[in-house]
Structure formats: structure tokens, C-alpha cells
Amino acid sequence: MARKFNTEGQCNPKSHYMVRLEERMRKIKDQYVDPGSYFVINRGRQYGKTTTLWALLDYLKSQYIVLFVDFQLLGTAKFRNETVFSKGFVRKIIDAFRNIEIEESERKKLLKPLQTFGTEGTYADLDELFGCLSEMCRESSRPVVLMIDEVDSASNNQVFIDFLAQLREYYLARKVSPIFHSVILAGVYDIKNLKLKLRSDEEHQYNSPWNIAARFTIEMAFSAEQIADMLTEYEQDRHTGMKVAAVAEEIYHYTSGYPYLVSAICKRLDEDLPAERDFLDAGRVWSREGIGEAVKMLLRERMPLFDSLIRQIDEYPEMKQMLQAILFQGRQIAYNPDAKEIELARMFGYIVDRDGSVQIANRIFEMRLYNFFLSESELTSLIYRKAEQEKKQFIVDGILDMKHVLERFAVHFTDIYGENDRKFIEDYGRKFFLLYLKPIINGAGNYYIEAQTRDAKRTDVIVDYGGIQYVIELKIWHGEEYHARGERQLLEYLEYYHLDKGYLISFNFSKKKDIGVKEFYFGRKMIVEAVV
């Protein structure tokens, strides 16, 4: 059976095209498992945690007895008290032995105390559970590794916190009372934040029951080179004629290596785009234009990853406010792990620490966030309604007339918002331009913000429409010298994107300003500037 790209559950290299994980497995084994560390793999939703655990199980099985437990399969009822949890946990450990390659005589010896625990008597507690687990580890001919997936399933249960505390105590005393050689938990929430969800009083918030955990630093995002290796395997099977390195770079450009998003784009390219009239040729599918179309498909879809993003934004208003400040006001926010909204956004995978500053994790998240935040304002925004009324005039023979967009934006912005003060325009000017742009390109184009230039004074919007790129610099007027620097920067961007024309919107507060649009040249490069 032909391999496919997979976005549903665990990936298997025999059935799916996937980034090879051997190097990651080697690092985890050498840096964490072999030294006997207890640690947590905390990453956002659909970041490849479960696939990593299954691959690690296979990688370690010759040297260790690896017991894999999925807390999602325990069910909420199993966490209501120690007796129910302990017996349920033991049954999952017994089930895990079915996947262990071991002599039958040793299997029976190791399972005996667990089987007795699971059937005898009506009462059991965590002390008795760990007594049985300690006996099992003592009798084992190989070190025992425990892996627990989906620890978030237990995040609101005190019995799980007590279970972690027992793990800690046995870890500290393991020279006297044998226990698991290494313990690996996987989930979105880290242990400190599991505690935050469970208890609200300040005295206990940061008193983690699992402070023995080693800090997990293995990179799980895919690099452009890893994506290229995966696409090379695909190309060897399908012979599309794609330029593998360039396609991999473009996918990375949108995803920053977020595993699910990488696979989702590839899946759309492989399965959905060839059915589109404009993409019947495989070489055109696996191109920058095809990738842009696949991204548009993703942004129009409802999927668990995006549903979680919106739900978490609504649940944590401080995080929402921070993301809006970054996206619309150009705020440069210093990365501070002690700030709750920053730590939560990092834990969910929505932001990253880049050179000490908070940045949105990838361009697809950024575009989805822009679409969501702008949609909250669409019904009440006058400038959005103006663009919606006029949108047909901006597309001529399938080509976006960006100069005309700027001309009409300058008119409407001045009419509607021209009397507002400087602070209002600095905070919301860029948002109003994006609100104006959205109905014009909606469904047919993409846009994103160049993160390196997003600050309180200027930002660059990159628009893809009909296979053509437009670079628009939005700039707050801060004098002639700063204006000249902005023009030079825009020219550098035009050179980078191999474009001959760029666009500039200047929010100018001078009473002597000339409102309107003008064109001027720098060599062979044209800049169209709108002053508002």
C-alpha cells in the first residue's frame, strides 16, 4: 500500500511519509533515559509527542523494558479515588506487557504481584501500588522505563498529584527501594501548570510534587533539512519534478517546523490540490504557488488545533491581550517565563522566545489569529464595510490592483479616523488597514506580517494574491531621516523578493502633510506611497 502523509494520530514510517526520528531518539536515550532521568515532554497540541513515545519504545526495547500507558484510556472515573486509580493503573501496566519481548517465565514472575494486586481485596492505595511496582522493578532483568502519554487527562485530579508525589519519593529512595529507571510524561501542560489548574491558593501554586524532573530541551520542531529529507522519499516514489529544497524551505517558511502543520500542508498538496483545475500538473502543485493554496485551505478549515487556539484565547484574556498587542500595535514584549500569559502561550505552542522577545510561533498561527481578531471587529468596522462594498473594483483580470487599494484606503481612513489623536492611530492604524484588506483578498489570497520588522514604528505586510507577491510597509511618521531608512528597507525587501514595485503607507501626523498617493523611483524599483 502506498504511503501517505498523516495528520490523524500516530505516524508509522511503513505507512506514512514522515520526518525520520532516529537522531531524536538517540539524543533522548543518551541525555535522559540512560542517565535515569524523570522528565516531561511538554509541547503544544499535535506536536508529535505520541509518535515520539512510540518510536522511543521501539528504540529502547532491546535494552529496557518499556511500559507505555495512555491516560486518555483510563477515563475520568478512574481518578476519583486511590483504590480505583491504583487498580486501573495496574491493569494498564499488565496490558503494556503484551508488547514486551521477554522470556515467558520472566513475564509471569514480573506480572504475578500486579495480577494479585488487581484481583485480591476491595481496597488498595498508592502505597500498596508502589510496593508492587517496586517489587516488579527489583525482579526485572532489565531496567524498567515508564512512559505515560496524555497526562493532561489527569490534570484536574488530586489522586494524580499524589501519584506524582509517590514517584518523586521512590525516585529519591531508589537505591533502597527499586523503582523505574526512567519516567517520561508527555502532554501539553507541564507539572507546575497541572498544579495551577488544580489549586488556586497562593501557598501551594508552585510547590510541585515532581520537582525532580529534568528539563527537556530536545528540539521537536522540524528543520527545513528534515522536511527536505521527507520530501525526497516522496519524490522518489511519485516523481513530481519538484525542487525539493525550495519546497521544503517554503513549507518551513509558513510552519516554522510545527509537525502537524508540516504534515497538513503536505497532505493537502498530495491529496486535495491535484483535484483543483489550476493544479492538474504535479510540478505546479509542489511549488510556492501550490503551497500558498494549501495554506489557504488550512486557514478555511475547522480543525482541533485551531479550535484549541481559539478556546485558549477566550479562556485566558491576558494572553489574548498580549497577542493582540504584538500583532496590531507592534509591541516588543520581553520574554519573561514568570509572566503567566507568556508561559501559557509558550506551553500551548503559540509563541516562542526569539532573541529574548516574544514572537508568534509560526506564520499559519499568525494568519489564523489575525483572521480571528479581525472577524471580531468586522460587523462594527466602518472601514471594513467600505472595502466590502468596493472590493470588485480592485481585481482586474484576476490581478490585484494594490495601488488602487492604497488610494481608496487613504480616502476612507482620512474620512473616518482622521480626527482621532496620534495614540489612537498608532495603536489601531495597522489593524484598520488589515480590516480594509481582508474582504478584498478574502478566500483568494494570503497575507502575513514580517516578524523581523514588526515594531511600534513600522511593519511589513506580505500579500500573496494570484501567484503575485506584494510588499507593503506600514510606517508611523517619525521624521524625514526615519522615513528615508524605511524606504531603504523596503528596497531591500523588494530585492529579496525579486520584485520591482513596493508599497508604503505612512501614518503622518503633520498638519502640512499631503494626503494621497504618489509614485517615485529608486533606480528600477518603484515605490507607491500612500500618506494618511
Side-chain angles (χ1 to χ4, degrees):
M1 186 176 67
R3 287 190 291 168
K4 295 185 175 183
F5 294 100
N6 179 45
T7 56
E8 295 82 35
Q10 176 194 353
C11 290
N12 183 323
K14 294 180 180 179
S15 303
H16 307 124
Y17 293 106
M18 58 182 289
V19 167
R20 296 299 178 177
L21 301 176
E22 288 81 5
E23 180 62 17
R24 184 187 301 175
M25 298 302 101
R26 184 191 64 77
K27 289 181 178 179
I28 293 176
K29 179 178 181 295
D30 291 350
Q31 297 179 29
Y32 295 93
V33 178
D34 286 350
S37 297
Y38 284 30
F39 61 99
V40 186
I41 300 177
N42 290 126
R43 294 296 184 273
R45 279 183 65 97
Q46 298 177 291
Y47 215 98
K49 300 181 293 295
T50 298
T51 295
T52 295
L53 290 184
W54 280 108
L56 190 59
L57 186 155
D58 190 60
Y59 191 80
L60 297 174
K61 66 183 182 182
S62 63
Q63 187 174 338
Y64 297 94
I65 288 178
V66 185
L67 303 174
F68 190 122
V69 177
D70 186 342
F71 268 11
Q72 263 192 335
L73 302 180
L74 273 178
T76 304
K78 291 294 191 296
F79 293 93
R80 65 178 181 267
N81 60 53
E82 287 190 20
T83 298
V84 175
F85 171 80
S86 297
K87 291 190 174 185
F89 184 79
V90 162
R91 283 193 287 275
K92 291 301 176 185
I93 292 292
I94 293 171
D95 290 343
F97 266 96
R98 295 174 182 170
N99 299 317
I100 305 299
E101 297 177 4
I102 191 175
E103 292 288 339
E104 192 58 31
S105 58
E106 183 175 6
R107 185 191 308 274
K108 290 181 179 179
K109 180 174 65 174
L110 298 181
L111 286 177
K112 184 177 179 180
L114 300 176
Q115 291 169 333
T116 302
F117 178 88
T119 57
E120 290 186 358
T122 58
Y123 175 76
D125 61 18
L126 291 173
D127 284 337
E128 294 176 57
L129 168 64
F130 274 86
C132 290
L133 295 175
S134 179
E135 184 178 347
M136 175 193 71
C137 293
R138 179 184 290 109
E139 296 295 330
S140 177
S141 62
R142 286 177 280 168
V144 180
V145 174
L146 174 66
M147 298 195 303
I148 302 177
D149 197 12
E150 301 291 350
V151 293
D152 309 82
S153 301
S155 61
N156 289 316
N157 298 282
Q158 181 63 48
V159 67
F160 176 61
I161 300 299
D162 296 337
F163 173 77
L164 291 179
Q166 287 278 11
L167 273 175
R168 178 189 62 193
E169 295 309 311
Y170 270 83
Y171 171 88
L172 295 173
R174 56 185 173 170
K175 290 183 179 179
V176 178
S177 301
I179 198 61
F180 305 110
H181 174 78
S182 180
V183 173
I184 309 165
L185 306 184
V188 174
Y189 287 89
D190 64 25
I191 296 304
K192 183 177 75 172
N193 284 298
L194 286 177
K195 196 79 170 182
L196 285 169
K197 288 184 72 179
L198 185 67
R199 297 178 179 177
S200 59
D201 57 294
E202 294 295 330
E203 182 180 354
H204 300 293
Q205 277 190 346
Y206 299 100
N207 183 23
S208 171
W210 223 50
N211 51 20
I212 53 168
R215 190 168 68 94
F216 184 73
T217 60
I218 302 296
E219 180 58 67
M220 291 181 64
F222 300 153
S223 66
E225 291 76 15
Q226 288 174 314
I227 298 171
D229 289 342
M230 175 180 67
L231 294 180
T232 297
E233 293 185 19
Y234 179 86
E235 183 64 13
Q236 289 169 349
D237 292 342
R238 305 299 180 90
H239 308 291
T240 68
M242 78 168 88
K243 296 179 180 179
V244 170
V247 171
E249 285 286 351
E250 189 72 5
I251 292 173
Y252 184 82
H253 168 83
Y254 279 106
T255 65
S256 297
Y258 198 108
Y260 175 85
L261 296 175
V262 171
S263 295
I265 288 176
C266 292
K267 189 176 181 69
R268 301 305 180 280
L269 294 171
D270 178 48
E271 299 179 14
D272 299 333
L273 219 58
E276 298 288 327
R277 184 180 62 184
D278 294 336
F279 293 94
L280 299 179
D281 176 71
R284 187 168 182 182
V285 169
W286 292 90
S287 67
R288 185 173 67 84
E289 186 179 356
I291 293 166
E293 190 65 27
V295 169
K296 283 192 287 186
M297 289 180 174
L298 290 183
L299 292 173
R300 290 196 297 263
E301 290 180 25
R302 287 288 303 272
M303 59 180 64
L305 180 62
F306 293 150
D307 288 344
S308 293
L309 171 63
I310 302 307
R311 185 175 64 252
Q312 301 292 3
I313 286 172
D314 286 338
E315 186 174 345
Y316 298 103
E318 297 92 348
M319 184 172 71
K320 179 178 182 179
Q321 185 178 7
M322 176 187 72
L323 294 174
Q324 287 179 316
I326 293 171
L327 293 173
F328 292 120
Q329 298 172 23
R331 286 274 304 280
Q332 291 283 354
I333 298 176
Y335 184 84
N336 177 7
D338 296 322
K340 183 178 178 181
E341 63 274 15
I342 292 176
E343 181 60 12
L344 285 169
R346 181 211 58 80
M347 185 179 67
F348 294 140
Y350 306 149
I351 60 103
V352 293
D353 172 10
R354 192 162 291 145
D355 299 326
S357 295
V358 175
Q359 290 193 10
I360 309 300
N362 58 70
R363 287 192 168 123
I364 292 181
F365 279 176
E366 183 173 273
M367 287 187 283
R368 190 76 180 208
L369 286 168
Y370 271 119
N371 289 342
F372 173 69
F373 290 143
L374 292 174
S375 69
E376 292 184 316
S377 303
E378 287 173 8
L379 293 178
T380 58
S381 172
L382 289 174
I383 203 161
Y384 179 90
R385 293 207 295 273
K386 291 292 185 182
E388 199 168 36
Q389 292 164 4
E390 300 179 347
K391 60 185 179 182
K392 291 183 180 179
Q393 66 184 269
F394 300 116
I395 312 298
V396 181
D397 297 328
I399 304 297
L400 175 63
D401 186 345
M402 186 60 75
K403 178 183 176 183
H404 193 37
V405 172
L406 266 60
E407 287 172 340
R408 298 303 296 160
F409 172 74
V411 170
H412 294 310
F413 185 88
T414 303
D415 288 345
I416 299 170
Y417 307 112
E419 298 302 317
N420 285 278
D421 62 20
R422 181 185 186 117
K423 180 67 168 59
F424 175 87
I425 294 175
E426 286 184 342
D427 285 349
Y428 298 108
R430 279 170 277 199
K431 181 176 182 179
F432 289 135
F433 175 69
L434 294 176
L435 273 168
Y436 190 75
L437 183 66
K438 189 170 186 284
I440 297 171
I441 68 169
N442 198 26
N446 290 326
Y447 66 90
Y448 60 86
I449 307 301
E450 179 53 57
Q452 293 180 347
T453 64
R454 186 198 299 113
D455 59 36
K457 296 179 181 178
R458 59 181 293 265
T459 193
D460 289 304
V461 180
I462 315 297
V463 176
D464 286 306
Y465 190 96
I468 300 175
Q469 283 192 317
Y470 305 82
V471 179
I472 308 107
E473 180 176 316
L474 285 74
K475 184 170 58 63
I476 304 295
W477 178 264
H478 284 276
E480 290 291 348
E481 182 179 349
Y482 187 83
H483 185 73
R485 287 204 305 270
E487 290 172 345
R488 290 194 297 271
Q489 180 68 59
L490 179 56
L491 291 171
E492 291 175 8
Y493 265 93
L494 294 180
E495 197 68 36
Y496 176 80
Y497 285 103
H498 308 292
L499 299 172
D500 293 326
K501 183 185 293 187
Y503 302 87
L504 180 62
I505 299 177
S506 297
F507 295 96
N508 192 322
F509 306 101
S510 171
K511 294 181 180 180
K512 299 179 180 179
K513 65 186 177 184
D514 293 322
I515 295 173
V517 175
K518 59 183 178 180
E519 298 177 352
F520 47 93
Y521 283 87
F522 289 88
R524 292 192 303 171
K525 305 290 186 185
M526 175 191 286
I527 293 180
V528 179
E529 181 178 13
V531 178
V532 298

